[in-house]
Amino acid sequence: MLTLVDLHTGDTITLAILDSLEIRDPYTLLAVHTGGELAAHGPTGGATAADSHAATLALDSTTLAATRPTPLHDPAATALPTTCWVDLPTDLAAALRPALDDARTAVLVLLDRTGGRLAAVGPFPTHATALGYQPHRYDGPGPDGRHITGTVWLHPDHGPWLRELANHAQPVWCTNWNHLAAEWIAPRLGLPATWQHVPVHAGGIRFGHQSKLSPLYAWTARRPLAVLDDEFGGKDPFAADQRTADGAPTLLRPVNPYHGLRRADIDAVLTWLRQL
């Protein structure tokens, strides 16, 4: 219990602090918006608590179409019981997509489009763990040369996906990590330490362009180039189109920064390579 006291008036309020990871009957409130966005709110203790949040959502959003309290399945369990699945109309199941403003949720929604159903799993301690990322402790020089310590989240699926790309193209690192990408990140993803890196001093958008692209274009010269990155400038697509028109096919594939690299990103590059 936590009691808050207003020092000027003497008014007090007592709150019960509930650890979301220790909820005995965890539920999430699924919210569907008119554009097909699906958001998960919670976790909460029980269906009634989850359902009570619907009125607040309706006041805050003009696009809310429907809500439904949904039980959370324990992520430590290896199989989903039949009772965890919620039936959906097939047209709704086909139209649903993640809401970007739901990126920090600790709930993972499994959507079976073919079967017209969904299930919710959680709670997870972080958004990264819900997506399958694993923490790696880093203690060494940072991109600017100063010593840093912290956690780097890496996804075990990314290594095999990138090795698959390497069967069709030459992968190179182009990141502020520079040589540390091959020396530190690569072995933790099961990637060879021999992949080259294009030296960059800083990333970010400057004058409408991702600053990493300039040294990458110079290194690539006239060869076809596909770039996977979570940040491009407003002028970058036009520059890529111009490179393509000048005989250097260029693909800029934006990676959703809230979810990181996904299989659809890899498939998009593979499809583009086959069309060259």
Side-chain angles (χ1 to χ4, degrees):
M1 305 292 284
L2 174 66
T3 300
L4 304 177
V5 180
D6 188 320
L7 296 179
H8 295 289
T9 65
D11 293 339
T12 64
I13 181 173
T14 300
L15 306 174
I17 307 301
L18 181 64
D19 187 338
S20 63
L21 297 180
E22 298 178 355
I23 296 174
R24 294 184 178 180
D25 186 24
Y27 266 71
T28 185
L29 181 67
L30 298 181
V32 178
H33 294 262
T34 54
E37 300 89 352
L38 173 65
H41 300 269
T44 61
T48 301
D51 194 37
S52 66
H53 187 55
T56 302
L57 292 181
L59 291 174
D60 292 340
S61 174
T62 59
T63 62
L64 185 65
T67 60
R68 173 165 182 158
T70 303
L72 287 173
H73 181 64
D74 184 358
T78 57
L80 286 174
T82 304
T83 54
C84 278
W85 291 98
V86 176
D87 292 330
L88 297 172
T90 53
D91 56 342
L92 178 59
L96 290 177
R97 56 190 175 87
L100 292 183
D101 61 357
D102 192 39
R104 297 189 181 277
T105 184
V107 173
L108 181 66
V109 178
L110 307 178
L111 177 61
D112 179 2
R113 296 187 188 276
T114 303
R117 59 181 187 167
L118 59 76
V121 180
F124 293 88
T126 66
H127 174 64
T129 53
L131 294 177
Y133 284 83
Q134 299 175 353
H136 298 261
R137 185 69 176 174
Y138 180 76
D139 186 352
D144 60 0
R146 292 181 296 179
H147 188 90
I148 60 172
T149 59
T151 301
V152 177
W153 292 87
L154 300 175
H155 200 295
D157 287 344
H158 291 173
W161 294 351
L162 293 173
R163 288 199 303 272
E164 183 180 352
L165 277 182
N167 293 329
H168 305 274
Q170 177 188 2
V172 295
W173 299 98
C174 188
T175 166
N176 289 354
W177 283 79
N178 286 305
H179 65 90
L180 290 172
E183 295 174 8
W184 193 88
I185 296 178
R188 286 162 177 80
L189 291 176
L191 298 174
T194 54
W195 288 2
Q196 291 182 262
H197 79 275
V198 176
V200 295
H201 298 293
I205 307 302
R206 290 178 58 85
F207 304 108
H209 294 282
Q210 167 57 259
S211 58
K212 291 185 291 187
L213 290 179
S214 180
L216 184 59
Y217 287 159
W219 183 87
T220 308
R222 309 308 302 164
R223 289 176 291 174
L225 173 67
V227 184
L228 291 160
D229 202 288
D230 63 1
E231 186 178 34
F232 292 111
K235 297 179 181 178
D236 286 330
F238 300 100
D241 289 344
Q242 187 60 55
R243 278 177 51 84
T244 300
D246 292 340
T250 303
L251 171 70
L252 303 183
R253 173 69 183 189
V255 174
N256 188 323
Y258 301 109
H259 303 291
L261 185 68
R262 289 188 158 184
R263 181 66 214 186
D265 300 316
I266 301 297
D267 290 340
V269 174
L270 290 173
T271 298
W272 180 80
L273 289 171
R274 288 192 293 267
Q275 295 172 348
L276 292 177

